[in-house]
Amino acid sequence: MPQSGLLTAGISRRRLLAVGGTAALGTLLAACGNGSSGSAPEPAAGGSGPWSFTDDRGTPVTARTTPARVVAFTGTAAALVDFGLGDRIVGVFGETTLGDGKPAKQAGDLDLGKVTVIGNVYGEFSVEKYAALRPDLLVTHMYEPGELWYVPKESGDKIRQLAPTVAINVARVPLTTPIERYAEFARSLGADLNAKPVVDAKARFDAASARLRQAAKASGGLTVMAASGSPDTFYVSNPASAADLTCFAELGVNLVTPEKTDSGGYFESLSWENADRYHADLILLDDRGTSLQPPDLAAKPTWAALPAVRANQVTAWDAVPRFSYAGAAPLLENLAKAIESARKV
């Protein structure tokens, strides 16, 4: 999510802020969304072709052989690593390294010593570095139909001429849907979804889902608000537009729904004078570097006066989650823990 001054119609989606077809991971008994069951498919063979994958723009993306050199949005690349495809990632774009050189949380288990960062902030994408990587494929999220997340529109035509592109929808669906779609995509590239790390991560995700469901039920309707702060604006996120929040709601979490969302439907922008419009017992606060954190917000009187803040019931929120079971399980665990420790205020 952008800081004040970066918020434009083109990037307002940052304020957020099947295995439906991948039967190998089984039925999502405890998790949000609808899983599907069936016999486990054989992993696709990598490095041989022809290759085809129908992405969420609805048209098949094809190549003469299975792509071996993949460039991806950092969060997408990290999810693919979780599915066992770390050796396919040659380049990334999006927040990857912090000012001190350490990996950003979004980078997950990416081996940054083996990838080229072609852009480390929103709007930064070196077409020259991208071309030099000789990419077979580019893959990223899709928040709005047809739009490639973090791929600058002004360079879009040049980028698309260099390699096919894949977009996976991550908005207005429950968390399990993009996880399952990325699992399907990973399998098309040769990932073994029956590998122990993947199976173990799925089991952890299911257990975390069950824990969150129980915590929400036992809370007696405790109200949770997902929000983000900038110097001039307090953003209240719309659960219907964010995959993680949709999942939380399906698991029984009582989330604040803003009455009047901004263009795109992702959040409602409030002046700090009106930051107390919605009551919440617990606040999920966007923890990315582009958003203000509790120490930064302490001087704002309306923030300090919020019941959840006075009760010290504010917990970190990863507003652009990593869409894999390994990436998503901690989100459910952390929220469950926060709800278990909170009280109505």
Side-chain angles (χ1 to χ4, degrees):
M1 298 185 182
Q3 295 174 321
S4 176
L6 294 179
L7 185 62
T8 66
I11 62 173
S12 63
R13 295 181 303 282
R14 299 182 72 199
R15 303 305 316 171
L16 303 185
L17 73 81
V19 169
T22 306
L25 297 184
T27 306
L28 299 177
L29 297 177
C32 55
N34 296 316
S36 62
S37 60
S39 58
E42 291 297 321
S48 61
W51 175 86
S52 178
F53 179 81
T54 300
D55 75 354
D56 290 341
R57 293 171 296 186
T59 56
V61 182
T62 61
R64 288 179 294 178
T65 60
T66 303
R69 300 180 61 80
V70 176
V71 175
F73 170 64
T74 299
T76 294
L80 295 178
V81 169
D82 293 337
F83 286 118
L85 291 180
D87 61 340
R88 300 294 181 91
I89 309 300
V90 297
V92 295
F93 53 94
E95 290 85 354
T96 307
T97 58
L98 304 175
D100 58 6
K102 294 181 179 178
K105 182 170 64 174
Q106 185 169 244
D109 291 329
L110 266 174
D111 185 343
L112 298 185
K114 295 183 178 180
V115 299
T116 298
V117 180
I118 62 174
N120 199 45
V121 296
Y122 185 86
E124 183 180 271
F125 189 114
S126 172
V127 178
E128 291 76 15
K129 287 184 179 180
Y130 178 60
L133 289 172
R134 298 176 287 106
D136 295 326
L137 191 69
L138 180 148
V139 57
T140 186
H141 301 338
M142 181 175 71
Y143 282 98
E144 296 297 328
E147 293 190 14
L148 300 175
W149 183 238
Y150 267 62
V151 175
K153 288 185 177 180
E154 62 271 19
S155 305
D157 289 343
K158 293 180 181 178
I159 292 168
R160 281 186 285 269
Q161 288 173 8
L162 292 168
T165 60
V166 164
I168 300 296
N169 178 51
V170 299
R172 305 179 186 88
V173 292
L175 184 60
T176 48
T177 298
I179 291 176
E180 292 163 0
R181 289 291 286 145
Y182 273 122
E184 291 177 1
F185 172 71
R187 185 176 69 86
S188 81
L189 295 180
D192 179 4
L193 301 184
N194 293 311
K196 190 176 187 300
V198 181
V199 173
D200 288 350
K202 172 64 166 55
R204 180 182 174 185
F205 178 85
D206 284 345
S209 298
R211 178 183 176 185
L212 180 55
R213 187 187 297 278
Q214 177 57 36
K217 183 178 180 180
S219 73
L222 182 135
T223 302
V224 179
M225 177 168 63
S228 182
S230 73
D232 301 317
T233 309
F234 185 61
Y235 301 93
V236 178
S237 290
N238 178 17
S241 295
D244 56 343
L245 301 183
T246 297
C247 176
F248 301 161
E250 290 187 357
L251 291 172
V253 177
N254 181 27
L255 284 159
V256 169
T257 298
E259 297 173 358
K260 187 177 181 181
T261 58
D262 297 4
S263 176
Y266 291 97
F267 53 87
E268 179 175 359
S269 302
L270 300 173
S271 65
W272 277 107
E273 290 77 10
N274 296 312
D276 59 355
R277 176 170 296 178
Y278 302 106
H279 173 80
D281 303 304
L282 172 67
I283 295 175
L284 285 175
L285 186 67
D286 184 354
D287 68 352
R288 288 174 295 163
T290 50
S291 298
L292 298 182
Q293 301 308 302
D296 308 312
L297 297 169
K300 294 187 177 295
T302 48
W303 168 260
L306 293 175
V309 177
R310 286 190 281 108
N312 196 30
Q313 294 182 173
V314 178
T315 192
W317 173 41
D318 187 356
V320 178
R322 196 162 92 239
F323 293 104
S324 68
Y325 294 110
L331 309 182
L332 302 175
E333 294 166 348
N334 293 343
L335 179 55
K337 181 178 179 181
I339 291 176
E340 290 163 354
S341 303
R343 59 181 176 83
K344 289 187 175 182
V345 293

